[in-house]
Amino acid sequence: MRYSIDQMTMADVPRVIEIERLAYPSTWPPSAYRKELQDNRWAHYIVLRDKKIAEEHVAVPMTESERPRRIFPLSLLPSRSSAAVTSPDLVSILGFAGLWLMVDEAHITTIAMHPDYQGKGLGELMLSGLIDIAYEIRAKWVTLEVRVTNYKAQNLYRKYGFHDAGMRHRYYSDNNEDALIMWTNEINSLAYRQTFQEIKSRLLNKLEAAPGQ
């Protein structure tokens, strides 16, 4: 398939920070991601790559004279920082996501897509990737917080078996918006496994059949 989900590495952090700044009004400092990757044994972060973008980037190398003027796909950082995010591996990253294992609960901490690639099922692909990780790390439930006004995201989570479980008042620091707490049922139950695999299979088939794949 055109898209792949890979474990986030330290080399990916500049691109992750760029996408987060585009996707969210408030962001983590760069040091936070580095600390998560280096020191938090319970943290699991992934990046979503578009292999077609990586291939095209390699196929059309820049000449040295082009470097100061060339605007790379998706790169909106200042020109003095552009060298950090213009390798094929970094340019091909369209989104990222992560979770923490908290006892037997997989707590999703973030899902972010580059705005130019939203609405294509790729955020859903990352969500399914996080649930796969939840199985790998032997979590029993998956949980997250979502803005009370983000109905699109809430509908996606409900599609994957999340249900409302409470509220965190004034949770988001940028506007003091409340957060809806959502949980899955026990993910190791036969019913949940079957439903998850069916939804995931339909998503993969849809992405593979999309134009340009």
Side-chain angles (χ1 to χ4, degrees), residues 82-144:
S82 62
V85 292
T86 54
S87 74
D89 281 346
L90 290 188
V91 170
S92 67
I93 295 174
L94 306 183
F96 68 94
L99 59 76
W100 296 334
L101 178 62
M102 303 172 68
V103 189
D104 51 8
E105 160 197 337
H107 187 124
I108 294 176
T109 57
T110 186
I111 299 178
M113 279 298 304
H114 190 290
D116 290 349
Y117 290 85
Q118 293 176 359
K120 300 178 182 293
L122 301 179
E124 182 176 349
L125 182 61
M126 287 195 294
L127 176 62
S128 70
L130 291 178
I131 296 173
D132 282 332
I133 291 174
Y135 280 116
E136 292 170 9
I137 62 179
R138 300 184 179 181
K140 291 184 177 180
W141 298 275
V142 186
T143 181
L144 52 79

Side-chain angles (χ1 to χ4, degrees), residues 46-62:
I46 57 175
V47 293
L48 174 71
R49 300 184 192 275
D50 184 337
K51 291 181 280 188
K52 183 177 180 181
I53 288 178
E55 292 167 358
E56 291 174 348
H57 188 84
V58 171
V60 188
M62 293 184 304

Side-chain angles (χ1 to χ4, degrees), residues 2-173:
R2 173 174 173 172
Y3 304 102
S4 65
I5 292 179
D6 303 320
Q7 181 178 350
M8 187 189 295
T9 68
M10 292 290 288
D12 299 328
V13 170
R15 179 61 169 165
V16 165
I17 294 167
E18 178 185 10
I19 292 173
E20 187 183 41
R21 287 172 178 166
L22 294 171
Y24 293 132
S26 59
T27 61
W28 284 8
S31 59
Y33 285 105
R34 297 187 179 100
K35 185 174 180 62
E36 286 286 277
L37 296 177
Q38 290 179 320
D39 301 332
N40 188 351
R41 60 180 294 199
W42 308 114
H44 301 267
Y45 286 86
I46 57 175
V47 293
L48 174 71
R49 300 184 192 275
D50 184 337
K51 291 181 280 188
K52 183 177 180 181
I53 288 178
E55 292 167 358
E56 291 174 348
H57 188 84
V58 171
V60 188
M62 293 184 304
T63 65
E64 197 63 33
S65 61
E66 290 177 312
R67 292 185 186 277
R69 303 190 303 273
R70 181 69 177 263
I71 301 174
F72 285 86
L74 312 184
S75 179
L76 298 180
L77 288 180
S79 59
R80 59 184 171 84
S81 304
S82 62
V85 292
T86 54
S87 74
D89 281 346
L90 290 188
V91 170
S92 67
I93 295 174
L94 306 183
F96 68 94
L99 59 76
W100 296 334
L101 178 62
M102 303 172 68
V103 189
D104 51 8
E105 160 197 337
H107 187 124
I108 294 176
T109 57
T110 186
I111 299 178
M113 279 298 304
H114 190 290
D116 290 349
Y117 290 85
Q118 293 176 359
K120 300 178 182 293
L122 301 179
E124 182 176 349
L125 182 61
M126 287 195 294
L127 176 62
S128 70
L130 291 178
I131 296 173
D132 282 332
I133 291 174
Y135 280 116
E136 292 170 9
I137 62 179
R138 300 184 179 181
K140 291 184 177 180
W141 298 275
V142 186
T143 181
L144 52 79
E145 291 90 13
V146 60
R147 290 176 186 266
V148 293
T149 58
N150 192 348
Y151 305 115
K152 184 176 180 180
Q154 292 171 30
N155 289 336
L156 172 61
Y157 300 144
R158 292 189 178 101
K159 176 180 177 180
Y160 279 78
F162 288 80
H163 54 83
D164 301 359
M167 195 82 70
R168 299 195 194 281
H169 297 289
R170 303 171 67 86
Y171 182 77
Y172 293 98
S173 60

